[in-house]
Structures are given as C-alpha cells and as structure tokens.
Amino acid sequence: MAYRTDFGSIHQRPLGVFGAPARYVQGPGATWELGRELQRLGFQGPVLFIAGGTAQRTLAPIWQEQLPPVGLQPVIDAFGGECSESEIKRLVAMSDHHGFCAVVGAGGGKASDTARAVADELGLPVVITPTLASTDSPCSALSVIYSDEGSVTGFRFYNRHPELLLVDTEVIAKAPKRQLVAGLGDGLATWFEARATHESHRNNVVGGKPLTSALMLAKLCHDILLADGPAACAAIDAGVPTPALERIVEANILLSGLGFEIGGLALAHAVHNGISTIPGSHHNLHGEKVVIGLHTQLVLEGQPQSEIDEVFRYCQQVGLPTTLAQVGIDASNDAELMAIAERSVIPGETSHNEPFEVTAIAVMRALKAADQLGGAYL
C-alpha cells in the first residue's frame, strides 16, 4: 500500500501509463451473475462483503442464494458511512475470525473506497458492485480518506485495480435521482481536468503521462453526458433502465473512472477537497462539490464564455449546483472562501496540474466570479 496526501509523480521518466479494472460487467440484473463471475476468477471460501444500506436490503438475499452453490460464503458487514481510518481498522479486524479469499464493496463511492483499503490491508483482491452511479470511484485504484466527520484527510494509492467491477443497472435505476445527477457532475469534470493535465504535461493519477487513449475516453465521457443526461434522469424518475441510462451509467462509472485516473485531475477536484473542509458542505454529495470546482476551474483558466455557458446550462438542465450557496458555502464570507482556496493549493494538490501557476488568491477570485455567473442559472 502507498499512503500519500498528494497525487505527485511516481516515475522519473516520462512514461505513459494506463491502468484499469481487470473486468467490467454492466446490465440489468447483473447481480445474478456475481457468483459465476467470482468463480471465474478462481475464488473459493468466505468473501467479506462491505455493504451499504441499499446493498443489504436488495442484493444480500441474492448473494446468499447464489454464492454457496459455487463454493463461496458471503460474510456481510454493514458499511459505517465514512471511508475513515477507524472504519477501515474495524473491518480489517474481522479477518481475525475468517479466512477471506476476497473483499467485495457494495454501495456508493465511500463503500468502494473502504473496500479497496480493507482489501489492500489484508492483501486480498477486491471486487466492486456499486448500487449508485454517483461517482467514478468504483473504477479506481485509490481511496479518498475522510475524517469521521466527513472532511478529506488524504488518499491511499494501490498497486492494482479491482479484479471485477459489476454494475447492476436495475438497482441503479431505482436509486434516488440526486445520486445519478451527482455522478453527472463528477463525470462532467473529467474531460476538462484531463485536458488541463495534458496541456501542462503533468502526470496522471496512476503515475505516468496521459496517453492519447486517456483524452479520447475523457472526451467520450463528456459527449455522452451532454447527449444522454436528461433522458437518463427521466429513466431514473420512471425507475427503469433504458439505453440512455445504460450509456450514462457507463460514462459515470467506467469512462469517468478511466478518464480521471489515466487522464489526470486538476483544479475541479482540488476545489472539491477545499469545500469538503467547510462543515456546511457535508450534506452535499461528491459530484455536487466537484461541479462547483469545475465552474471555478473554467473561470480561472479563462475559457471561452461559450464553453462556460454550456456547462452552466447543462447543470441547470439536470439539476446540478451552479452557486456556492447550493453546496453550503457563503459567497460573502471571504474567510471561508480563502480557507477553501488555501486547501485547494496545498503542495501535491491536483490544482498544480493546471498549465500555469495556481495561487490561493487566484482561486478565491475565481470562486467569487464563478458564483456570480452561476446565479443567472438558478
């Protein structure tokens, strides 16, 4: 395990690096294939399931029915809600009583992050079965670590990705629409951050230079989000998987996940990390805060107003935040804005992947300007 608080360089030579899950499975009713997929990977014996509330209610009965006939015993533990050091330590301690062959994370992004951390501590392979399309976390080989109160404290980076990422779109179609919309916000930043990292010739999250494929995947993610986002929201309102929802789920989870790791992160996620230090923001979802970071990034980069307007219009259309107040931040509180800005430019933060020097005062000014622009889209 590598435990760092930054996304700094791993390699000295300018090598391109591409990392991804070993296998991706998506579709309606995919949960029913989990036993066969785990058997295909050669797993036998007890499996630790770190399960969020929806997973416990809707998926656990399927696991308990399908896994024993193929030689797997699900040991299900309720996820505590935060990917914190204390939660990781609690779950690792369960291995004292079981000889687990793998760890499965089932739930939202924080459950995925926790499962990766626990699997790494135990030296086991990890499988992710998200019940939400709210972040691109399931695809990655890292965990965002939070305090028990919900502030970002650092990151863990791992040597391998999930062995399997299995996405049941019937489950995701029945999740709250706000969760899917937050995933749109997280995914929307992917192309713009990968573009900035490429322009600055900085490293991606897996420790190498972004390859051409990274930029193409990030741009494809962007294009699908713009084309299918509203129709996917309608499918969630109806509670059914549709072709548009299938494409958005793939974009939110797989394309955005690959795009951010092999394309790179920039100011949008750094501002998210700053916003997360403000208690008033803790009720907001990851993607809701990331999209505020995206508005800030585009303003700070001086991008064409047509591009900025397109992003704001999209956010208005699908229900993403356009102002600081919508994520619990007082735009008139300069001390609060400076705290966000200073956190976003600490050494090693992804804000330094921008193709110019980024300072706290510049971020603070961009936060204010973006908020002013966003007010027209309420």
Side-chain angles (χ1 to χ4, degrees), residues 332-368:
S332 67
N333 187 332
D334 285 353
E336 197 164 81
L337 296 187
M338 182 53 74
I340 294 169
E342 288 178 341
R343 173 60 183 80
S344 72
V345 298
I346 63 173
E349 251 301 354
T350 57
S351 55
H352 303 299
N353 285 346
E354 294 290 337
F356 50 81
E357 182 182 2
V358 177
T359 65
I361 190 65
V363 173
M364 180 181 175
R365 289 168 178 166
L367 280 164
K368 281 178 168 285

PDB file of all heavy atoms in Angstrom, residues 332-368:
ATOM      1  N   SER A 332     -20.278  35.462   0.450  1.00  0.00           N
ATOM      2  CA  SER A 332     -19.862  36.756   1.002  1.00  0.00           C
ATOM      3  C   SER A 332     -18.868  36.608   2.154  1.00  0.00           C
ATOM      4  O   SER A 332     -18.360  37.613   2.664  1.00  0.00           O
ATOM      5  CB  SER A 332     -21.093  37.536   1.487  1.00  0.00           C
ATOM      6  OG  SER A 332     -21.692  36.893   2.611  1.00  0.00           O
ATOM      7  N   ASN A 333     -18.584  35.369   2.544  1.00  0.00           N
ATOM      8  CA  ASN A 333     -17.677  35.106   3.661  1.00  0.00           C
ATOM      9  C   ASN A 333     -16.269  34.889   3.107  1.00  0.00           C
ATOM     10  O   ASN A 333     -15.898  33.785   2.726  1.00  0.00           O
ATOM     11  CB  ASN A 333     -18.150  33.883   4.439  1.00  0.00           C
ATOM     12  CG  ASN A 333     -17.353  33.640   5.704  1.00  0.00           C
ATOM     13  OD1 ASN A 333     -16.183  34.004   5.793  1.00  0.00           O
ATOM     14  ND2 ASN A 333     -17.982  33.010   6.690  1.00  0.00           N
ATOM     15  N   ASP A 334     -15.479  35.964   3.066  1.00  0.00           N
ATOM     16  CA  ASP A 334     -14.146  35.872   2.472  1.00  0.00           C
ATOM     17  C   ASP A 334     -13.241  34.911   3.219  1.00  0.00           C
ATOM     18  O   ASP A 334     -12.384  34.238   2.607  1.00  0.00           O
ATOM     19  CB  ASP A 334     -13.497  37.253   2.411  1.00  0.00           C
ATOM     20  CG  ASP A 334     -14.070  38.124   1.303  1.00  0.00           C
ATOM     21  OD1 ASP A 334     -14.872  37.609   0.497  1.00  0.00           O
ATOM     22  OD2 ASP A 334     -13.723  39.318   1.249  1.00  0.00           O
ATOM     23  N   ALA A 335     -13.405  34.831   4.533  1.00  0.00           N
ATOM     24  CA  ALA A 335     -12.561  33.915   5.312  1.00  0.00           C
ATOM     25  C   ALA A 335     -12.841  32.467   4.918  1.00  0.00           C
ATOM     26  O   ALA A 335     -11.915  31.655   4.788  1.00  0.00           O
ATOM     27  CB  ALA A 335     -12.809  34.120   6.803  1.00  0.00           C
ATOM     28  N   GLU A 336     -14.117  32.140   4.705  1.00  0.00           N
ATOM     29  CA  GLU A 336     -14.492  30.787   4.293  1.00  0.00           C
ATOM     30  C   GLU A 336     -13.968  30.487   2.894  1.00  0.00           C
ATOM     31  O   GLU A 336     -13.432  29.392   2.629  1.00  0.00           O
ATOM     32  CB  GLU A 336     -16.011  30.648   4.338  1.00  0.00           C
ATOM     33  CG  GLU A 336     -16.515  29.227   4.325  1.00  0.00           C
ATOM     34  CD  GLU A 336     -17.964  29.140   4.746  1.00  0.00           C
ATOM     35  OE1 GLU A 336     -18.848  29.385   3.895  1.00  0.00           O
ATOM     36  OE2 GLU A 336     -18.221  28.844   5.934  1.00  0.00           O
ATOM     37  N   LEU A 337     -14.099  31.435   1.989  1.00  0.00           N
ATOM     38  CA  LEU A 337     -13.610  31.237   0.623  1.00  0.00           C
ATOM     39  C   LEU A 337     -12.089  31.085   0.604  1.00  0.00           C
ATOM     40  O   LEU A 337     -11.552  30.262  -0.150  1.00  0.00           O
ATOM     41  CB  LEU A 337     -14.033  32.392  -0.272  1.00  0.00           C
ATOM     42  CG  LEU A 337     -15.534  32.586  -0.506  1.00  0.00           C
ATOM     43  CD1 LEU A 337     -15.774  33.671  -1.544  1.00  0.00           C
ATOM     44  CD2 LEU A 337     -16.208  31.291  -0.939  1.00  0.00           C
ATOM     45  N   MET A 338     -11.393  31.872   1.421  1.00  0.00           N
ATOM     46  CA  MET A 338      -9.938  31.750   1.451  1.00  0.00           C
ATOM     47  C   MET A 338      -9.513  30.413   2.041  1.00  0.00           C
ATOM     48  O   MET A 338      -8.524  29.814   1.596  1.00  0.00           O
ATOM     49  CB  MET A 338      -9.328  32.905   2.235  1.00  0.00           C
ATOM     50  CG  MET A 338      -7.790  32.875   2.267  1.00  0.00           C
ATOM     51  SD  MET A 338      -7.010  32.754   0.613  1.00  0.00           S
ATOM     52  CE  MET A 338      -7.268  34.417  -0.002  1.00  0.00           C
ATOM     53  N   ALA A 339     -10.262  29.903   3.007  1.00  0.00           N
ATOM     54  CA  ALA A 339      -9.949  28.579   3.569  1.00  0.00           C
ATOM     55  C   ALA A 339     -10.072  27.505   2.489  1.00  0.00           C
ATOM     56  O   ALA A 339      -9.237  26.593   2.398  1.00  0.00           O
ATOM     57  CB  ALA A 339     -10.876  28.269   4.741  1.00  0.00           C
ATOM     58  N   ILE A 340     -11.115  27.593   1.666  1.00  0.00           N
ATOM     59  CA  ILE A 340     -11.283  26.652   0.554  1.00  0.00           C
ATOM     60  C   ILE A 340     -10.119  26.785  -0.422  1.00  0.00           C
ATOM     61  O   ILE A 340      -9.518  25.789  -0.847  1.00  0.00           O
ATOM     62  CB  ILE A 340     -12.617  26.913  -0.170  1.00  0.00           C
ATOM     63  CG1 ILE A 340     -13.800  26.603   0.751  1.00  0.00           C
ATOM     64  CG2 ILE A 340     -12.709  26.083  -1.457  1.00  0.00           C
ATOM     65  CD1 ILE A 340     -15.133  27.080   0.216  1.00  0.00           C
ATOM     66  N   ALA A 341      -9.804  28.023  -0.768  1.00  0.00           N
ATOM     67  CA  ALA A 341      -8.753  28.275  -1.755  1.00  0.00           C
ATOM     68  C   ALA A 341      -7.396  27.795  -1.257  1.00  0.00           C
ATOM     69  O   ALA A 341      -6.635  27.178  -2.013  1.00  0.00           O
ATOM     70  CB  ALA A 341      -8.706  29.765  -2.078  1.00  0.00           C
ATOM     71  N   GLU A 342      -7.089  28.066   0.005  1.00  0.00           N
ATOM     72  CA  GLU A 342      -5.790  27.648   0.544  1.00  0.00           C
ATOM     73  C   GLU A 342      -5.673  26.132   0.588  1.00  0.00           C
ATOM     74  O   GLU A 342      -4.612  25.568   0.303  1.00  0.00           O
ATOM     75  CB  GLU A 342      -5.589  28.261   1.927  1.00  0.00           C
ATOM     76  CG  GLU A 342      -5.330  29.768   1.873  1.00  0.00           C
ATOM     77  CD  GLU A 342      -5.182  30.386   3.250  1.00  0.00           C
ATOM     78  OE1 GLU A 342      -5.620  29.747   4.246  1.00  0.00           O
ATOM     79  OE2 GLU A 342      -4.644  31.518   3.339  1.00  0.00           O
ATOM     80  N   ARG A 343      -6.766  25.448   0.933  1.00  0.00           N
ATOM     81  CA  ARG A 343      -6.732  23.975   0.942  1.00  0.00           C
ATOM     82  C   ARG A 343      -6.555  23.430  -0.472  1.00  0.00           C
ATOM     83  O   ARG A 343      -5.922  22.393  -0.676  1.00  0.00           O
ATOM     84  CB  ARG A 343      -8.008  23.417   1.570  1.00  0.00           C
ATOM     85  CG  ARG A 343      -8.171  21.899   1.481  1.00  0.00           C
ATOM     86  CD  ARG A 343      -7.031  21.154   2.164  1.00  0.00           C
ATOM     87  NE  ARG A 343      -7.151  19.711   2.030  1.00  0.00           N
ATOM     88  CZ  ARG A 343      -6.802  19.005   0.951  1.00  0.00           C
ATOM     89  NH1 ARG A 343      -6.302  19.632  -0.117  1.00  0.00           N
ATOM     90  NH2 ARG A 343      -6.919  17.689   0.929  1.00  0.00           N
ATOM     91  N   SER A 344      -7.075  24.142  -1.451  1.00  0.00           N
ATOM     92  CA  SER A 344      -7.026  23.636  -2.822  1.00  0.00           C
ATOM     93  C   SER A 344      -5.653  23.777  -3.465  1.00  0.00           C
ATOM     94  O   SER A 344      -5.423  23.202  -4.535  1.00  0.00           O
ATOM     95  CB  SER A 344      -8.077  24.341  -3.687  1.00  0.00           C
ATOM     96  OG  SER A 344      -7.703  25.680  -3.951  1.00  0.00           O
ATOM     97  N   VAL A 345      -4.747  24.511  -2.847  1.00  0.00           N
ATOM     98  CA  VAL A 345      -3.423  24.711  -3.450  1.00  0.00           C
ATOM     99  C   VAL A 345      -2.300  24.205  -2.553  1.00  0.00           C
ATOM    100  O   VAL A 345      -1.141  24.581  -2.746  1.00  0.00           O
ATOM    101  CB  VAL A 345      -3.176  26.199  -3.806  1.00  0.00           C
ATOM    102  CG1 VAL A 345      -4.187  26.661  -4.832  1.00  0.00           C
ATOM    103  CG2 VAL A 345      -3.198  27.094  -2.570  1.00  0.00           C
ATOM    104  N   ILE A 346      -2.602  23.336  -1.587  1.00  0.00           N
ATOM    105  CA  ILE A 346      -1.532  22.790  -0.757  1.00  0.00           C
ATOM    106  C   ILE A 346      -0.572  21.992  -1.639  1.00  0.00           C
ATOM    107  O   ILE A 346      -0.943  21.533  -2.717  1.00  0.00           O
ATOM    108  CB  ILE A 346      -2.088  21.909   0.392  1.00  0.00           C
ATOM    109  CG1 ILE A 346      -2.819  20.691  -0.171  1.00  0.00           C
ATOM    110  CG2 ILE A 346      -2.978  22.711   1.322  1.00  0.00           C
ATOM    111  CD1 ILE A 346      -3.239  19.688   0.896  1.00  0.00           C
ATOM    112  N   PRO A 347       0.667  21.827  -1.210  1.00  0.00           N
ATOM    113  CA  PRO A 347       1.631  21.072  -2.022  1.00  0.00           C
ATOM    114  C   PRO A 347       1.105  19.678  -2.365  1.00  0.00           C
ATOM    115  O   PRO A 347       0.554  18.978  -1.517  1.00  0.00           O
ATOM    116  CB  PRO A 347       2.856  20.997  -1.111  1.00  0.00           C
ATOM    117  CG  PRO A 347       2.754  22.212  -0.253  1.00  0.00           C
ATOM    118  CD  PRO A 347       1.283  22.403   0.003  1.00  0.00           C
ATOM    119  N   GLY A 348       1.274  19.305  -3.630  1.00  0.00           N
ATOM    120  CA  GLY A 348       0.829  17.992  -4.081  1.00  0.00           C
ATOM    121  C   GLY A 348      -0.604  17.934  -4.544  1.00  0.00           C
ATOM    122  O   GLY A 348      -1.029  16.904  -5.083  1.00  0.00           O
ATOM    123  N   GLU A 349      -1.384  19.018  -4.362  1.00  0.00           N
ATOM    124  CA  GLU A 349      -2.778  19.006  -4.803  1.00  0.00           C
ATOM    125  C   GLU A 349      -2.852  19.028  -6.328  1.00  0.00           C
ATOM    126  O   GLU A 349      -1.939  19.476  -7.021  1.00  0.00           O
ATOM    127  CB  GLU A 349      -3.551  20.193  -4.236  1.00  0.00           C
ATOM    128  CG  GLU A 349      -4.572  19.847  -3.165  1.00  0.00           C
ATOM    129  CD  GLU A 349      -5.667  18.881  -3.595  1.00  0.00           C
ATOM    130  OE1 GLU A 349      -5.754  18.523  -4.789  1.00  0.00           O
ATOM    131  OE2 GLU A 349      -6.443  18.473  -2.724  1.00  0.00           O
ATOM    132  N   THR A 350      -3.993  18.548  -6.833  1.00  0.00           N
ATOM    133  CA  THR A 350      -4.164  18.445  -8.282  1.00  0.00           C
ATOM    134  C   THR A 350      -4.371  19.797  -8.952  1.00  0.00           C
ATOM    135  O   THR A 350      -4.328  19.878 -10.178  1.00  0.00           O
ATOM    136  CB  THR A 350      -5.338  17.511  -8.615  1.00  0.00           C
ATOM    137  OG1 THR A 350      -6.532  18.006  -7.985  1.00  0.00           O
ATOM    138  CG2 THR A 350      -5.055  16.104  -8.122  1.00  0.00           C
ATOM    139  N   SER A 351      -4.582  20.849  -8.177  1.00  0.00           N
ATOM    140  CA  SER A 351      -4.641  22.191  -8.759  1.00  0.00           C
ATOM    141  C   SER A 351      -3.351  22.527  -9.493  1.00  0.00           C
ATOM    142  O   SER A 351      -3.359  23.308 -10.456  1.00  0.00           O
ATOM    143  CB  SER A 351      -4.895  23.235  -7.665  1.00  0.00           C
ATOM    144  OG  SER A 351      -3.918  23.138  -6.643  1.00  0.00           O
ATOM    145  N   HIS A 352      -2.244  21.912  -9.085  1.00  0.00           N
ATOM    146  CA  HIS A 352      -0.948  22.205  -9.697  1.00  0.00           C
ATOM    147  C   HIS A 352      -0.744  21.441 -11.010  1.00  0.00           C
ATOM    148  O   HIS A 352       0.335  21.518 -11.608  1.00  0.00           O
ATOM    149  CB  HIS A 352       0.165  21.920  -8.700  1.00  0.00           C
ATOM    150  CG  HIS A 352      -0.002  22.696  -7.419  1.00  0.00           C
ATOM    151  ND1 HIS A 352      -0.005  24.073  -7.394  1.00  0.00           N
ATOM    152  CD2 HIS A 352      -0.234  22.290  -6.142  1.00  0.00           C
ATOM    153  CE1 HIS A 352      -0.206  24.482  -6.144  1.00  0.00           C
ATOM    154  NE2 HIS A 352      -0.348  23.422  -5.373  1.00  0.00           N
ATOM    155  N   ASN A 353      -1.787  20.722 -11.454  1.00  0.00           N
ATOM    156  CA  ASN A 353      -1.769  20.131 -12.792  1.00  0.00           C
ATOM    157  C   ASN A 353      -2.282  21.097 -13.850  1.00  0.00           C
ATOM    158  O   ASN A 353      -2.304  20.758 -15.041  1.00  0.00           O
ATOM    159  CB  ASN A 353      -2.599  18.842 -12.829  1.00  0.00           C
ATOM    160  CG  ASN A 353      -1.889  17.678 -12.171  1.00  0.00           C
ATOM    161  OD1 ASN A 353      -0.686  17.731 -11.917  1.00  0.00           O
ATOM    162  ND2 ASN A 353      -2.632  16.626 -11.880  1.00  0.00           N
ATOM    163  N   GLU A 354      -2.708  22.279 -13.431  1.00  0.00           N
ATOM    164  CA  GLU A 354      -3.085  23.302 -14.404  1.00  0.00           C
ATOM    165  C   GLU A 354      -1.823  23.788 -15.135  1.00  0.00           C
ATOM    166  O   GLU A 354      -0.731  23.778 -14.561  1.00  0.00           O
ATOM    167  CB  GLU A 354      -3.770  24.480 -13.704  1.00  0.00           C
ATOM    168  CG  GLU A 354      -5.113  24.156 -13.074  1.00  0.00           C
ATOM    169  CD  GLU A 354      -6.210  23.889 -14.093  1.00  0.00           C
ATOM    170  OE1 GLU A 354      -6.085  24.365 -15.246  1.00  0.00           O
ATOM    171  OE2 GLU A 354      -7.195  23.202 -13.738  1.00  0.00           O
ATOM    172  N   PRO A 355      -1.968  24.235 -16.376  1.00  0.00           N
ATOM    173  CA  PRO A 355      -0.792  24.644 -17.157  1.00  0.00           C
ATOM    174  C   PRO A 355      -0.298  26.053 -16.830  1.00  0.00           C
ATOM    175  O   PRO A 355       0.219  26.762 -17.700  1.00  0.00           O
ATOM    176  CB  PRO A 355      -1.292  24.544 -18.598  1.00  0.00           C
ATOM    177  CG  PRO A 355      -2.751  24.781 -18.506  1.00  0.00           C
ATOM    178  CD  PRO A 355      -3.184  24.177 -17.199  1.00  0.00           C
ATOM    179  N   PHE A 356      -0.464  26.476 -15.583  1.00  0.00           N
ATOM    180  CA  PHE A 356       0.024  27.778 -15.112  1.00  0.00           C
ATOM    181  C   PHE A 356       0.062  27.709 -13.583  1.00  0.00           C
ATOM    182  O   PHE A 356      -0.511  26.806 -12.974  1.00  0.00           O
ATOM    183  CB  PHE A 356      -0.892  28.927 -15.574  1.00  0.00           C
ATOM    184  CG  PHE A 356      -2.352  28.692 -15.297  1.00  0.00           C
ATOM    185  CD1 PHE A 356      -2.903  28.934 -14.050  1.00  0.00           C
ATOM    186  CD2 PHE A 356      -3.178  28.199 -16.299  1.00  0.00           C
ATOM    187  CE1 PHE A 356      -4.242  28.701 -13.792  1.00  0.00           C
ATOM    188  CE2 PHE A 356      -4.528  27.959 -16.053  1.00  0.00           C
ATOM    189  CZ  PHE A 356      -5.060  28.208 -14.795  1.00  0.00           C
ATOM    190  N   GLU A 357       0.727  28.657 -12.973  1.00  0.00           N
ATOM    191  CA  GLU A 357       0.794  28.673 -11.510  1.00  0.00           C
ATOM    192  C   GLU A 357      -0.577  29.015 -10.930  1.00  0.00           C
ATOM    193  O   GLU A 357      -1.253  29.942 -11.384  1.00  0.00           O
ATOM    194  CB  GLU A 357       1.817  29.712 -11.043  1.00  0.00           C
ATOM    195  CG  GLU A 357       1.981  29.741  -9.525  1.00  0.00           C
ATOM    196  CD  GLU A 357       2.957  30.793  -9.045  1.00  0.00           C
ATOM    197  OE1 GLU A 357       3.496  31.545  -9.910  1.00  0.00           O
ATOM    198  OE2 GLU A 357       3.184  30.892  -7.828  1.00  0.00           O
ATOM    199  N   VAL A 358      -0.981  28.246  -9.933  1.00  0.00           N
ATOM    200  CA  VAL A 358      -2.268  28.460  -9.279  1.00  0.00           C
ATOM    201  C   VAL A 358      -2.010  28.893  -7.839  1.00  0.00           C
ATOM    202  O   VAL A 358      -1.337  28.192  -7.081  1.00  0.00           O
ATOM    203  CB  VAL A 358      -3.125  27.180  -9.305  1.00  0.00           C
ATOM    204  CG1 VAL A 358      -4.431  27.400  -8.547  1.00  0.00           C
ATOM    205  CG2 VAL A 358      -3.419  26.761 -10.743  1.00  0.00           C
ATOM    206  N   THR A 359      -2.539  30.047  -7.465  1.00  0.00           N
ATOM    207  CA  THR A 359      -2.376  30.574  -6.115  1.00  0.00           C
ATOM    208  C   THR A 359      -3.728  30.624  -5.398  1.00  0.00           C
ATOM    209  O   THR A 359      -4.787  30.599  -6.042  1.00  0.00           O
ATOM    210  CB  THR A 359      -1.795  31.992  -6.146  1.00  0.00           C
ATOM    211  OG1 THR A 359      -2.748  32.869  -6.788  1.00  0.00           O
ATOM    212  CG2 THR A 359      -0.467  32.017  -6.900  1.00  0.00           C
ATOM    213  N   ALA A 360      -3.683  30.715  -4.086  1.00  0.00           N
ATOM    214  CA  ALA A 360      -4.914  30.753  -3.303  1.00  0.00           C
ATOM    215  C   ALA A 360      -5.744  31.984  -3.641  1.00  0.00           C
ATOM    216  O   ALA A 360      -6.976  31.910  -3.759  1.00  0.00           O
ATOM    217  CB  ALA A 360      -4.587  30.717  -1.809  1.00  0.00           C
ATOM    218  N   ILE A 361      -5.092  33.136  -3.814  1.00  0.00           N
ATOM    219  CA  ILE A 361      -5.859  34.345  -4.107  1.00  0.00           C
ATOM    220  C   ILE A 361      -6.535  34.248  -5.472  1.00  0.00           C
ATOM    221  O   ILE A 361      -7.677  34.688  -5.651  1.00  0.00           O
ATOM    222  CB  ILE A 361      -4.965  35.606  -4.012  1.00  0.00           C
ATOM    223  CG1 ILE A 361      -5.817  36.865  -4.085  1.00  0.00           C
ATOM    224  CG2 ILE A 361      -3.885  35.601  -5.071  1.00  0.00           C
ATOM    225  CD1 ILE A 361      -6.756  37.057  -2.923  1.00  0.00           C
ATOM    226  N   ALA A 362      -5.865  33.602  -6.431  1.00  0.00           N
ATOM    227  CA  ALA A 362      -6.474  33.430  -7.755  1.00  0.00           C
ATOM    228  C   ALA A 362      -7.680  32.497  -7.674  1.00  0.00           C
ATOM    229  O   ALA A 362      -8.708  32.734  -8.325  1.00  0.00           O
ATOM    230  CB  ALA A 362      -5.444  32.884  -8.738  1.00  0.00           C
ATOM    231  N   VAL A 363      -7.585  31.432  -6.884  1.00  0.00           N
ATOM    232  CA  VAL A 363      -8.707  30.509  -6.715  1.00  0.00           C
ATOM    233  C   VAL A 363      -9.868  31.212  -6.031  1.00  0.00           C
ATOM    234  O   VAL A 363     -11.041  31.059  -6.428  1.00  0.00           O
ATOM    235  CB  VAL A 363      -8.276  29.262  -5.929  1.00  0.00           C
ATOM    236  CG1 VAL A 363      -9.485  28.376  -5.605  1.00  0.00           C
ATOM    237  CG2 VAL A 363      -7.239  28.458  -6.711  1.00  0.00           C
ATOM    238  N   MET A 364      -9.569  32.012  -5.005  1.00  0.00           N
ATOM    239  CA  MET A 364     -10.632  32.728  -4.304  1.00  0.00           C
ATOM    240  C   MET A 364     -11.379  33.664  -5.256  1.00  0.00           C
ATOM    241  O   MET A 364     -12.618  33.729  -5.255  1.00  0.00           O
ATOM    242  CB  MET A 364     -10.045  33.522  -3.144  1.00  0.00           C
ATOM    243  CG  MET A 364     -11.078  34.302  -2.348  1.00  0.00           C
ATOM    244  SD  MET A 364     -10.307  35.243  -1.022  1.00  0.00           S
ATOM    245  CE  MET A 364     -11.744  36.132  -0.390  1.00  0.00           C
ATOM    246  N   ARG A 365     -10.645  34.362  -6.091  1.00  0.00           N
ATOM    247  CA  ARG A 365     -11.288  35.265  -7.045  1.00  0.00           C
ATOM    248  C   ARG A 365     -12.134  34.493  -8.052  1.00  0.00           C
ATOM    249  O   ARG A 365     -13.241  34.931  -8.415  1.00  0.00           O
ATOM    250  CB  ARG A 365     -10.219  36.084  -7.770  1.00  0.00           C
ATOM    251  CG  ARG A 365      -9.540  37.124  -6.881  1.00  0.00           C
ATOM    252  CD  ARG A 365      -8.296  37.701  -7.539  1.00  0.00           C
ATOM    253  NE  ARG A 365      -7.680  38.736  -6.715  1.00  0.00           N
ATOM    254  CZ  ARG A 365      -6.454  39.214  -6.905  1.00  0.00           C
ATOM    255  NH1 ARG A 365      -5.699  38.730  -7.898  1.00  0.00           N
ATOM    256  NH2 ARG A 365      -5.968  40.149  -6.115  1.00  0.00           N
ATOM    257  N   ALA A 366     -11.632  33.347  -8.494  1.00  0.00           N
ATOM    258  CA  ALA A 366     -12.396  32.534  -9.439  1.00  0.00           C
ATOM    259  C   ALA A 366     -13.653  31.958  -8.796  1.00  0.00           C
ATOM    260  O   ALA A 366     -14.700  31.842  -9.454  1.00  0.00           O
ATOM    261  CB  ALA A 366     -11.513  31.413  -9.992  1.00  0.00           C
ATOM    262  N   LEU A 367     -13.569  31.575  -7.533  1.00  0.00           N
ATOM    263  CA  LEU A 367     -14.758  31.112  -6.807  1.00  0.00           C
ATOM    264  C   LEU A 367     -15.841  32.182  -6.818  1.00  0.00           C
ATOM    265  O   LEU A 367     -17.016  31.906  -7.092  1.00  0.00           O
ATOM    266  CB  LEU A 367     -14.393  30.760  -5.359  1.00  0.00           C
ATOM    267  CG  LEU A 367     -13.751  29.409  -5.097  1.00  0.00           C
ATOM    268  CD1 LEU A 367     -13.103  29.384  -3.712  1.00  0.00           C
ATOM    269  CD2 LEU A 367     -14.769  28.280  -5.195  1.00  0.00           C
ATOM    270  N   LYS A 368     -15.446  33.421  -6.518  1.00  0.00           N
ATOM    271  CA  LYS A 368     -16.415  34.520  -6.482  1.00  0.00           C
ATOM    272  C   LYS A 368     -17.000  34.797  -7.872  1.00  0.00           C
ATOM    273  O   LYS A 368     -18.217  34.971  -8.017  1.00  0.00           O
ATOM    274  CB  LYS A 368     -15.717  35.788  -5.963  1.00  0.00           C
ATOM    275  CG  LYS A 368     -15.528  35.853  -4.452  1.00  0.00           C
ATOM    276  CD  LYS A 368     -14.784  37.118  -4.067  1.00  0.00           C
ATOM    277  CE  LYS A 368     -14.832  37.379  -2.580  1.00  0.00           C
ATOM    278  NZ  LYS A 368     -16.153  37.881  -2.109  1.00  0.00           N
TER     279      LYS A 368
END
